[in-house]
Amino acid sequence: PARERTLDDRLRARGWTDDEIERAPGSWAVLGSVILVEMGDAPRPAECGAALLDLHHEADTVVDRDSIDGPHREPSVEVIAGTGDTAVVHREHGIAYAFDVRDVMFSPGNKAERARMGEVVEPGEEVLDMFAGIGYFSLPMAAGGAGVTAVERNPDAFRYLLENTRLNDLDDRIAPYRADCRDVAPRVAADRVVMGHYDAHEYLDVALDALVPGGVVHYHETTPVAVGLTRPIERLESAAARDRTIEVLDHHRVKSYSEGVDHLVVDARID
Ligand code: SAM
């Protein structure tokens, strides 16, 4: 949620000055029983965490998430208040996501995109999710009736992918592979390929090879705002240039990635 006045009130009641309140975090996410917040250089993290627990009675732990690093997107988190139990079951759009916030990332800002992926699929479609994580997109797409080949190479994330497939009763729709998607993609003929990774451009060649003619790719990229859609579309065109044509069907700004950089997704049909 956007900053709630009540957090300010609760911090003021704890003796925070206006200047300190100004530096308190402006937003946070409640994932199951954990509140995820980026404290940055905000003062008095433990007190701020306690104030957040006062606001959200469904939560029992607050973690400060610093950064998400490396190709496996591993989080760096620190418990700042509560019991310290960081395992959650987060429910969103009818899907249950079990994971531990210490082990794997979960982007609150991708919520609308997770819901959209559940809506774009047609029952019976074959989907290749090249960077499945814990099932962020695979689960809603399978719940929407698609058959999903879900590829994830990080063993921690893969463990949750298996757990979430069972938890959502989607074993008959999700084929999970603990592998590099470069190795799995050539064995797949997909109506739709999801590329939910910031290095997705390095994999466009195998993604397009896995798509049946007329199939759709959902291509993610972090793009400087000044460049806009030009770079993602150029990259798609140059990957398709060998022998295929592309039609851009849709595009969205998923979220702001950092100052001056957006996380974009482009939907393109490749003939
Ligand atoms: N789509 C997710 C979301 O909405 O939050 C983000 C998934 S995360 C950014 C990307 C995942 O891709 C990570 O779990 C990482 O381990 C995995 N990954 C990275 N490179 C991979 C590869 N070559 N093959 C398979 N999985 C890969």
Side-chain angles (χ1 to χ4, degrees):
R3 175 186 223 140
E4 300 181 34
R5 266 206 58 72
T6 43
L7 177 64
D8 295 12
D9 296 343
R10 278 159 208 255
L11 293 174
R12 195 165 287 114
R14 288 169 187 268
W16 286 43
T17 64
D18 285 347
D19 177 54
E20 286 176 317
I21 291 172
E22 196 55 42
R23 289 159 54 211
S27 65
W28 54 88
V30 183
L31 301 177
S33 55
V34 168
I35 299 171
L36 199 64
V37 63
E38 288 182 26
M39 291 295 294
D41 62 358
R44 306 204 232 170
E47 271 188 21
C48 186
L52 284 169
L53 286 176
D54 285 348
L55 274 182
H56 297 280
H57 291 139
E58 69 276 34
D60 59 22
T61 296
V62 184
V63 302
D64 176 11
R65 181 171 81 178
D66 292 345
S67 61
I68 295 186
D69 294 322
H72 287 167
R73 314 277 295 134
E74 283 152 355
S76 153
V77 302
E78 187 189 342
V79 173
I80 57 171
T83 65
D85 181 1
T86 50
V88 303
V89 180
H90 169 63
R91 290 175 201 280
E92 198 180 277
H93 305 114
I95 304 290
Y97 297 90
F99 60 101
D100 191 312
V101 300
R102 282 186 190 280
D103 293 339
V104 293
M105 59 156 291
F106 192 93
S107 294
N110 293 4
K111 182 175 182 179
E113 188 63 11
R114 286 188 286 276
R116 190 174 79 92
M117 286 297 101
E119 286 158 9
V120 293
V121 284
E122 302 284 344
E125 271 188 2
E126 283 305 319
V127 172
L128 170 63
D129 184 356
M130 293 176 74
F131 309 97
I134 66 166
Y136 310 99
F137 298 136
S138 293
L139 295 164
M141 294 177 101
V148 182
T149 300
V151 192
E152 173 55 52
R153 71 179 178 189
N154 172 345
D156 285 327
F158 186 76
R159 194 159 41 85
Y160 294 113
L161 174 64
L162 295 183
E163 183 178 337
N164 288 321
T165 298
R166 274 194 299 274
L167 185 62
N168 291 279
D169 206 13
L170 291 168
D171 307 70
D172 56 343
R173 303 236 184 99
I174 296 183
Y177 287 82
R178 187 183 136 192
D180 191 310
C181 59
R182 273 199 178 276
D183 298 329
V184 177
R187 291 187 258 151
V188 176
D191 301 301
R192 205 176 278 282
V193 173
V194 187
M195 305 186 75
H197 191 284
Y198 296 145
D199 296 332
H201 62 98
E202 293 174 11
Y203 296 83
L204 273 168
D205 54 341
V206 277
L208 298 202
D209 284 347
L211 263 189
V212 300
V216 172
V217 61
H218 301 282
Y219 170 65
H220 291 243
E221 192 177 294
T222 49
T223 314
V225 176
V227 173
L229 279 172
T230 323
R231 188 175 72 183
I233 291 176
E234 271 173 13
R235 280 177 166 163
L236 278 160
E237 281 172 345
S238 84
R242 289 168 295 160
D243 48 0
R244 302 169 82 176
T245 55
I246 85 154
E247 177 194 356
V248 174
L249 301 176
D250 206 352
H251 53 84
H252 294 274
R253 175 178 178 272
V254 177
K255 60 180 184 287
S256 168
Y257 173 72
S258 62
E259 184 77 34
V261 180
D262 280 345
H263 170 181
L264 302 180
V265 58
V266 177
D267 302 349
R269 187 183 302 288
I270 314 286
D271 285 319

